[in-house]
Amino acid sequence: MMNLHRKLWAIYGILVFFLLWIVFLPFYYLAFLFFPKGWRRHIIWFSHQIYTRLFFGLTLIRFNIIGLENLDPGQSYILVSNHVTALDFMINARAYPGVYKYLAKRELVRVPVFGFIVRKMCVLVDRSSAASRSASVTFLRETLAEGYSVFLYPEGTRNRSAEPLLPFHKGAFRIAIESGRPIAVQTILGVKKISGSAAGFDLWPGQVTVVWSKPIPVEGLTLKDQDVLSDRVREVMLANLKD
């Protein structure tokens, strides 16, 4: 019976998600088309802080955010987090007090309607050619120079295994070292209680805890130190998951 209730609540959650999109989509289109580029930061803040609060409020999901004092409001970061459920991208946004852009695959811009928003709110990565990769890196550096943080999942995909973390890819650590930006480590705890399966149709009211650890500086590191930096971030996440 509980599984049925959770599936029904998941249907309700999906309806809430898309109804909010329908309500706000005209605003996003008009804002991105006609507002000055400097307003883009405010539009992203609205999406991360207002949209997510409405969604989680309507689905009765509460937040316990620990360690916000570790973040400097004037600093841009390379943000990383563990990744378990389809809700994570909204949890990430709700828990971060500043403004960031996701690192996303360029293929997402081909999705009708959604692709336009992705193009404006994300840093797009194109690995199709050396020239495309170079252009993506240039855009990434420009994004950081504009004061945005950049967010990505070092695991690369949702963790469907029994292990606390999947193996890490090196992209986040390379970007941090090359840009000189510290890594802010976010760890999501308790999310399986509200969305128990990475692949399943499952949602239930409850509380999610998000821990912000002290950012990890990268001064003095070279690309040879990517593995060391990756191991350090992994240790921080594992310690939070264990605690």
Side-chain angles (χ1 to χ4, degrees):
M1 182 61 70
M2 178 57 72
N3 286 338
L4 176 61
H5 289 165
R6 294 178 72 98
K7 290 183 184 299
L8 291 174
W9 197 255
I11 293 172
Y12 165 70
I14 290 172
L15 289 174
V16 168
F17 179 85
F18 283 108
L19 284 173
L20 288 173
W21 259 111
I22 291 170
V23 169
F24 291 126
L25 190 59
F27 160 74
Y28 283 123
Y29 261 84
L30 291 173
F32 283 128
L33 284 173
F34 299 112
F35 286 14
K37 186 177 180 181
W39 278 76
R40 197 164 294 175
R41 179 181 301 275
H42 303 293
I43 301 168
I44 295 174
W45 181 90
F46 176 88
S47 180
H48 287 188
Q49 297 300 324
I50 304 302
Y51 180 98
T52 59
R53 289 172 191 266
L54 287 171
F55 174 82
F56 288 122
L58 290 169
T59 54
L60 305 182
I61 294 172
R62 307 180 308 278
F63 276 73
N64 176 31
I65 304 174
I66 301 169
L68 281 175
E69 68 278 3
N70 291 324
L71 301 177
D72 179 357
Q75 172 71 57
S76 59
Y77 296 99
I78 303 302
L79 304 168
V80 297
S81 173
N82 58 320
H83 192 17
V84 180
T85 76
L87 286 179
D88 292 351
F89 77 101
M90 286 194 290
I91 294 173
N92 303 141
R94 168 66 182 83
Y96 185 61
V99 178
Y100 65 79
K101 291 187 176 184
Y102 279 102
L103 194 70
K105 295 180 180 179
R106 183 167 290 277
E107 289 82 354
L108 290 176
V109 302
R110 299 172 186 166
V111 179
V113 182
F114 180 70
F116 175 79
I117 306 299
V118 169
R119 184 185 295 275
K120 302 298 183 181
M121 297 180 65
C122 297
V123 177
L124 300 175
V125 178
D126 187 350
R127 300 184 178 91
S128 60
S129 68
S132 297
R133 289 194 297 272
S134 177
S136 297
V137 170
T138 299
F139 182 64
L140 173 63
R141 289 173 177 166
E142 291 173 352
T143 299
L144 290 166
E146 290 172 359
Y148 289 99
S149 293
V150 172
F151 186 99
L152 63 164
Y153 296 113
E155 294 172 281
T157 187
R158 279 180 273 168
N159 183 2
R160 293 177 169 87
S161 75
E163 298 298 321
L165 294 171
L166 294 175
F168 281 0
H169 298 279
K170 298 299 187 293
F173 313 108
R174 183 184 184 91
I175 292 170
I177 292 170
E178 289 184 334
S179 67
R181 287 342 190 257
I183 296 182
V185 184
Q186 180 191 98
T187 311
I188 302 173
L189 309 175
V191 70
K192 287 188 176 182
K193 294 178 183 178
I194 63 170
S195 187
S197 171
F201 197 57
D202 181 66
L203 189 68
W204 195 244
Q207 178 173 282
V208 175
T209 296
V210 178
V211 178
W212 287 104
S213 303
K214 290 185 178 180
I216 299 173
V218 297
E219 287 87 352
L221 299 184
T222 69
L223 293 180
K224 294 180 180 179
D225 300 309
Q226 289 180 79
D227 288 340
V228 174
L229 187 57
S230 173
D231 290 343
R232 186 174 176 187
V233 170
R234 189 178 186 85
E235 288 171 3
V236 169
M237 284 190 188
L238 287 173
N240 290 332
L241 291 167
K242 183 178 179 180
D243 290 341

